[in-house]
Amino acid sequence: MTGFFLKNANVINVKTCTVEENKLLYIVDGRFAETSSPIGADEPVIDCEGKFVSPGIIDAHVHLVWDGTSPDPMTDTLADGDFVCFAKGCSNANKSLKAGVTLVRDVGSCNDTAIPLAASINRGYIQGSRVIPCGGAIQGSYGHCPMIGTICDTKGELIKKIKQLKGAFIAHRIAPPHWIKIMASGGAAGLEDLGPCMYSVEELEAIACEAHRLNIKVAAHALSYDAISKCVYAGIDTIEHGAELDEELLLHMKAHGQTWVPTVAVYKVLSESRGVVADIIVDKSEGVTKKQRAIFKKAMEIGTQIMMGSDAGSANFGPHPSGLMEMCVMEDYGMPKAEVLRCSTYESARILGVDKTLGSIEVAKVADFVILAANPLEKGAKAYIEDLCAVYKLGELVK
C-alpha cells in the first residue's frame, strides 16, 4: 500500500456545513483511510496548518464538447466534427479538474461523444474530471440543439434510443449510475419557441418507465410551464433550467424526491450579452433570468432539492469550468454560502447516485479533494477561485 498524511487539516464537513479543526487525514491507495496508527518515520506528510480541506466540486450540467468562448457553439459543433469536439472535451475536462471541479455530468454531446470521453478518463488515457455521461440529448425534430442530440419522434424511437444508450454505457464500461438527457422544450439559446412541450405525457411516461426499468435516471431540459409540468408529473428525475416552475410543482417535486438544476448563471450572462449573441437569445434570457430569481427563493423556502449545474460550454459563457460562477450567482440569489457548497458537493453526489464513494471527506471514500487557503463556508465559492492551493484526484496531486 502507498499512502500519505495530511496533518493539521481543517476539514470541511459538507454534510453538516461545519469545520472539523486540526484533523489528521490518511490517504492510501486513492482513498481516505483510518488513522488509528501514529505517523511512521518514513511516511509522507503534508502540513495543512491554516488551510482547509474540502471535497471537490460537482457540476451536474455541462457540455464538454463546447468550450464556452463562442457566441455560436451549435454551428461550431457542426463545423468541427466529432474528432475535434472530442479533443475539446478532453481539454475542458482537464481544465475543470485543475480548477477543483472533480466530477461533472455531461448532459449533451454530438454523437454520444461524452461516453467514450468518460471511458478514456476512467482508464487513465486522459487526465480530467470524472464524467457521468448522458450521451446525446434525446429530442424531437423541431428541438433544441440537435447537433448535440439524437432525434426521436415516436415512442418506439424513444425506447430504442434509451436501450442503445444503455448498451453504450455497458460497452464502454461506464459504471452506474447511468443518466440520460431529454429536451422537453425549446431553449433560450436558440431560435425555437420555448412554449410547447416537445413530447406528450404518454411519451414522457414511456421515457421515464423504460429508463427506470433499465436503472437509468433522466434529466429534462425544460423551461416552459407546459414542459416542466408534464415532466414533473411523468416522474422525470431532474428538471434542468426550470424557468416557469411554480409553487405547486416545487411542492410536488419535494414530495417525490425530484430535483431542480437551475443553471442561473448562464441566463444571467446571456441576458447581458446583447451585441455578442442574437437579440432573440438575449430577449428570451432576460425573461428566464427574471423568473428564475423569483422562483429560486420559493424553492429554498419550500425545501425542494436543488443541485448545482452550470451549463458550462454554452454560448459566450466563458471557458470551463463554470460551476464556480454558478455557485456565486446562487449566493447572489439568496442561498447561504454553506448551503451552496453542500448543493455542489454532498447533495449533488447523493442525487446523482455516487455518494457512497464521492462528495464528502470520509473514511473509505475516494480521495478527490482540494486544499484551500480560506474557509469556503465563510467565503463561499470565491475561496475556490481565489484561494485554491492544490487539487487531488484519487489521492494524486493534479495541481
Side-chain angles (χ1 to χ4, degrees), residues 74-93:
M74 292 167 272
T75 298
D76 291 348
T77 302
L78 296 173
D80 289 338
D82 293 346
F83 294 115
V84 171
C85 285
F86 183 91
K88 282 185 183 180
C90 296
S91 175
N92 293 327

Side-chain angles (χ1 to χ4, degrees), residues 126-150:
I126 300 165
Q127 185 189 63
S129 304
R130 300 178 191 277
V131 179
I132 296 176
C134 293
I138 298 171
Q139 59 193 280
S141 291
Y142 56 95
H144 181 57
C145 301
M147 65 294 301
I148 57 165
T150 301

